[in-house]
Amino acid sequence: MEDLAIVLPSYAADTSGVASALYELGGLTVIHDASGCNSTYSTFDEPRWFTKESAIFISGLTEMEAILGQDERLINDVIAASQAIKPKFITLAGSPMPHLLGTDFKAIANIIEEKTSLPTINIPTNGINTYAQGLADAWRILMQKLQTAKTLKKTEKKTKTEKPSINLLGTSPLDQSQELIASLKDFIGKNDFNIQTNLSFDFQGKFQDLTRITLAKANLVLSASALPLAQWLYETFEQPYVVGWPFGHLAKEVLKALSKAINDQKISYVCAEMRNKDNTKPTCLLIGESVLNTSIACALELEFNIKTKVITISNNSNNRLITSHNSLSDNIFNHILSADDCQLRENESAIAEIFSQFKHIVADPIYKMIANPANIFHPLGHLAFSGRLSLEYPGDDLLLPSLSTFFRRSLPC
Amino acid sequence: MLKLAFYGKGGIGKSTVTANLAAAFATLGLKVIQIGCDPKADSTINLLHGQKITSVMDYFRQYDAEPNDLETIAKRGFKNILCLETGGPTPGLGCAGRGIITTFQILKELQLFETEQPDVVLYDVLGDVVCGGFAAPIREGYAEYVVIVTSGEKMALYAANNIAQAVANFADRSYAKLLGLVLNCRNVPDEQAKVEAFAKSVNVPILATIPRSDEINICEDLGQTVLEGTANSDIANLFLTLASNLQKLTKR
């Protein structure tokens, strides 16, 4: 019973990550799952559903189709849907039932691609892994597919701009609010950079924009889920990247790192490099996405001369329920996290116990329900955790020159 | 890398043929992996002097966790052949097919082929292609060719035909192709003619005819293949010839 969670929900699953990553990119996202579950992927976990169109198709897998292995129905339905909708590409993602059946999505994707002549990819989801892995796989596998299809090579013609251009990699409403992304774009624009591509939140572009991603001089990586893609772009196109958000006093360091990346091809995990490495006891605890929260932690340390600890969502690598692949390796987190930080592998009562050791907590508002009365709680919404409850706490004031607005209730010192 | 999957009716001698062939490839100087894909987990027993290894499913049962390295689930047998077994669930419970898929995912994660760099990989698969799990060894990236082991018995040929049809049905999935048959004789009347007629009907050759052999039985009692137990015998030479022919045939 010690693993029982009475208050805390689970983080969104990998299928939601795939739907979110590809939401605005012009493809048809197919989730092979029993019918009636569309809302999980495209409304509960997706605030864009009521304002922007996206082609998401739930296959409606039945018990008898599962028993009889009728993959033909899925193949024919996807082909029919693609003929009606005319997407730019097709994505297949599985849920727990096909995962247990061992459905061969790779073979099915090959058949669909042959019959539709559309780039067709399979994202190896099982509905059990976290959304972070779904985001990571969707971004990386799609871009690699476009490269295989040689569409990325069509981007040789470079546009002349006064300012150097960068891509924003790793944006998704599951991890950041619309307001925060708007503030970031505003900040980037005011600081002599052009945004080539914002993948994939507020994409508002055409499919062709994806193929221009390699034109940018550098990538600004805004979540751990974007690191597999960023690393592949670096290895394939020599596109350097900087990991971190330009919050508070960290902002000038991020801008410096971007300039260095552009001029010297230097990769920088600025959110980790600038952290306080002394042996003092952390007084502020942050929980959530690793790049976002280590960036806030770093900005807090720079501005208030304190020590912080970040607990980031787990990559499931120690989850004994799961035997599938793990694209977000511990190695990725090792680059982002500092010595005091860790991945979230604790149960609800253990987290409450950890809370009691800190004065300040920065986390999604649901965590407040297990916080100690003595904790000073700073809510920062995380949609992948609390859904629409998170929308009240967008955290866009983190991008002001000082963090004091975000921490207006009480400065963490 | 030559990757072959052996299918056939239960009890037809798949494990005997696969293990002797693995030993023959190794005797020819090649680096070999044999993966038993049967819940009984006894495919490699005659490469290991009768010793059973911890199958992947046994490891899960025992430790309630994924194996972190190959050493915990693999053993070196005759002439350094790397032996692995998927194993299976508690008899009558669980899902053996899913066990095979899980095993293959784990072997991929452990980078078996990248670290071992084998010349030959042999998959010894349970009975028939009864569900998706038992087709896993012939999916893209695993075996390239299927070999069906059969005798001239009616039910063995019936199962062989089912397997051949299943492989044909997967033609649009880039799965393994049917390479041929191995006739493991049971001395039924007109055995050779019956199997030849079947081979013709599915348009593949008989790759080898293995006669009834006491030497095979004697060696198996000692936990050995004929390549180890009676290396200079005709039956050992027959497996060496089969290994050599398979190399030539697949290179073509």
Side-chain angles (χ1 to χ4, degrees):
Chain A
M1 293 293 278
E2 68 172 14
D3 286 335
L4 190 65
I6 297 167
V7 174
L8 301 181
S10 60
Y11 282 86
D14 50 7
T15 34
S16 293
V18 172
S20 179
L22 307 178
Y23 193 86
E24 298 185 36
L25 306 188
L28 170 66
T29 301
V30 179
I31 297 174
H32 194 30
D33 194 4
S35 59
C37 294
N38 195 351
S39 293
T40 306
Y41 315 112
S42 49
T43 56
F44 299 146
D45 284 344
E46 188 46 77
R48 292 170 289 187
W49 186 251
F50 299 103
T51 54
K52 291 175 186 171
E53 282 191 350
S54 183
I56 296 182
F57 171 52
I58 314 300
S59 64
L61 174 67
T62 67
E63 182 180 357
M64 288 316 295
E65 283 165 4
I67 293 168
L68 297 172
Q70 290 173 327
D71 290 347
E72 280 308 306
R73 213 264 292 166
L74 170 69
I75 293 167
N76 293 336
D77 283 357
V78 173
I79 291 169
S82 72
Q83 284 166 348
I85 293 169
K86 303 201 185 312
K88 298 292 184 191
F89 62 96
I90 298 169
T91 303
L92 303 178
S95 61
M97 183 61 82
H99 172 68
L100 288 172
L101 287 171
T103 302
D104 191 355
F105 284 108
K106 195 176 169 190
I108 292 172
N110 288 343
I111 293 169
I112 291 172
E113 181 166 283
E114 190 148 308
K115 292 190 175 176
T116 61
S117 300
L118 289 169
T120 303
I121 56 173
N122 162 231
I123 312 297
T125 55
N126 55 21
I128 305 168
N129 270 321
T130 65
Y131 75 96
Q133 187 152 308
L135 288 171
D137 286 338
W139 283 324
R140 178 184 55 82
I141 292 171
L142 176 63
M143 293 308 294
Q144 286 177 339
K145 180 71 178 183
L146 297 181
Q147 159 66 3
T148 310
K150 295 193 188 315
T151 38
L152 290 182
K153 298 238 167 147
K154 291 176 187 168
T155 59
E156 297 297 328
K157 197 176 159 190
K158 298 190 176 183
T159 50
K160 280 189 180 176
T161 55
E162 299 274 325
K163 302 174 181 178
S165 62
I166 59 168
N167 297 314
L168 304 183
L169 300 185
T171 61
S172 153
L174 287 168
D175 274 331
Q176 312 101 9
S177 69
Q178 190 156 5
E179 294 88 337
L180 183 57
I181 298 297
S183 301
L184 176 69
K185 287 169 72 179
D186 188 43
F187 173 87
I188 297 290
K190 282 178 183 165
N191 283 281
D192 289 334
F193 292 101
N194 268 333
I195 297 172
Q196 177 75 43
T197 305
N198 173 15
L199 187 69
S200 58
F201 189 9
D202 197 20
F203 187 64
Q204 293 181 332
K206 294 174 182 168
F207 175 69
Q208 282 74 12
D209 286 356
L210 275 182
T211 66
R212 296 192 187 108
I213 210 163
T214 54
L215 291 182
K217 299 280 186 192
N219 290 311
L220 182 58
V221 175
L222 299 160
S223 71
S225 297
L227 272 166
L229 170 62
Q231 186 60 30
W232 177 75
L233 288 169
Y234 177 70
E235 288 163 6
T236 313
F237 300 100
E238 295 175 337
Q239 212 173 23
Y241 59 88
V242 170
V243 185
W245 283 79
F247 294 140
H249 291 187
L250 184 61
K252 63 175 188 292
E253 304 299 336
V254 171
L255 294 171
K256 251 195 265 177
L258 275 174
S259 296
K260 266 194 174 175
I262 291 166
N263 296 325
D264 308 330
Q265 297 281 300
K266 189 176 180 299
I267 291 171
S268 172
Y269 286 75
V270 66
C271 61
E273 287 156 12
M274 301 299 294
R275 292 284 294 281
N276 180 349
K277 293 178 179 67
D278 68 27
N279 291 326
T280 53
K281 193 174 172 238
T283 55
C284 181
L285 176 71
L286 302 95
I287 299 184
E289 198 287 316
S290 57
V291 175
L292 183 77
N293 281 277
T294 53
S295 298
I296 300 169
C298 189
L300 274 169
E301 291 174 355
L302 289 172
E303 189 165 342
F304 302 113
N305 194 31
I306 57 156
K307 189 83 182 286
T308 61
K309 176 186 176 76
V310 173
I311 300 180
T312 189
I313 56 161
S314 172
N315 64 348
N316 279 328
S317 63
N318 283 359
N319 190 333
R320 66 185 171 83
L321 295 173
I322 298 168
T323 57
S324 62
H325 82 125
N326 182 8
S327 54
L328 284 177
S329 66
D330 283 343
N331 192 36
I332 282 180
F333 290 99
N334 290 344
H335 279 101
I336 301 168
L337 302 180
S338 293
D340 284 316
D341 302 341
C342 63
Q343 292 183 48
L344 180 60
R345 297 210 171 107
E346 309 292 345
N347 60 34
E348 190 173 289
S349 54
I351 296 169
E353 172 59 28
I354 293 170
F355 280 6
S356 68
Q357 299 162 25
F358 289 85
K359 183 175 178 185
H360 293 271
I361 310 286
V362 181
D364 183 272
I366 285 191
Y367 279 109
K368 193 175 183 184
M369 296 168 77
I370 61 164
N372 191 298
N375 289 140
I376 299 170
F377 198 89
H378 308 274
L380 175 61
H382 192 179
L383 193 123
F385 185 65
S386 63
R388 278 149 209 286
L389 288 175
S390 71
L391 299 179
E392 279 184 54
Y393 306 95
D396 49 331
D397 39 8
L398 286 163
L399 272 156
L400 297 175
S402 165
L403 292 186
S404 57
T405 307
F406 180 79
F407 291 98
R408 56 192 171 275
R409 289 177 47 187
S410 170
L411 295 179
C413 51
Chain B
M1 195 192 310
L2 171 60
K3 293 184 281 187
L4 301 168
F6 290 81
Y7 284 84
K9 183 182 172 293
I12 201 64
K14 291 181 297 296
S15 298
T16 299
V17 169
T18 310
N20 278 284
L21 193 57
F25 277 122
T27 303
L28 293 175
L30 300 174
K31 200 168 183 186
V32 183
I33 298 176
Q34 180 166 328
I35 305 174
C37 305
D38 187 324
K40 293 197 303 295
D42 58 357
S43 168
T44 56
I45 201 164
N46 292 322
L47 295 169
L48 294 161
H49 293 168
Q51 274 190 316
K52 287 195 85 172
I53 57 177
T54 303
S55 71
V56 175
M57 291 301 115
D58 280 343
Y59 187 92
F60 271 102
R61 231 186 316 270
Q62 196 173 340
Y63 299 103
D64 200 14
E66 277 187 45
N68 289 323
D69 57 68
L70 277 172
E71 305 308 313
T72 54
I73 50 167
K75 259 192 184 174
R76 303 270 172 197
F78 176 67
K79 288 199 181 287
N80 223 23
I81 296 169
L82 190 71
C83 302
L84 291 133
E85 299 278 356
T86 62
T90 306
L93 300 170
C95 180
R98 177 67 223 176
I100 295 175
I101 293 167
T102 298
T103 300
F104 282 17
Q105 282 173 344
I106 288 165
L107 296 181
K108 197 175 171 187
E109 276 176 42
L110 295 175
Q111 300 192 302
L112 171 66
F113 295 161
E114 291 85 344
T115 52
E116 192 66 15
Q117 298 275 325
D119 301 307
V120 180
V121 183
L122 303 179
Y123 301 91
D124 176 16
V125 193
L126 170 141
D128 215 333
V129 191
V130 290
C131 71
F134 293 95
I138 59 171
R139 288 181 179 181
E140 196 179 342
Y142 296 103
E144 298 161 288
Y145 299 102
V146 171
V147 174
I148 300 174
V149 181
T150 186
S151 68
E153 293 163 299
K154 186 179 174 185
M155 296 315 288
L157 287 168
Y158 186 80
N161 188 51
N162 280 348
I163 296 160
Q165 290 309 314
V167 174
N169 288 341
F170 290 138
D172 60 353
R173 293 192 172 206
S174 309
Y175 281 14
K177 291 178 176 58
L178 184 58
L179 187 65
L181 312 177
V182 170
L183 167 54
N184 194 22
C185 292
R186 293 296 169 91
N187 294 347
V188 296
D190 300 324
E191 187 159 39
Q192 186 77 32
K194 283 174 183 168
V195 178
E196 276 175 9
F198 171 69
K200 199 175 173 192
S201 74
V202 290
N203 200 27
V204 292
I206 296 174
L207 300 165
T209 299
I210 316 289
R212 293 291 284 178
S213 161
D214 286 342
E215 286 159 313
I216 290 179
N217 295 330
I218 292 164
C219 289
E220 288 194 346
D221 284 345
L222 298 169
Q224 296 176 343
T225 62
V226 291
L227 275 298
E228 185 176 14
T230 173
N232 297 318
S233 62
D234 288 348
I235 192 83
N237 282 329
L238 197 154
F239 280 107
L240 285 170
T241 306
L242 175 58
S244 183
N245 287 345
L246 284 170
Q247 274 186 293
K248 287 178 202 156
L249 194 62
T250 50
K251 267 182 192 159
R252 233 186 283 153

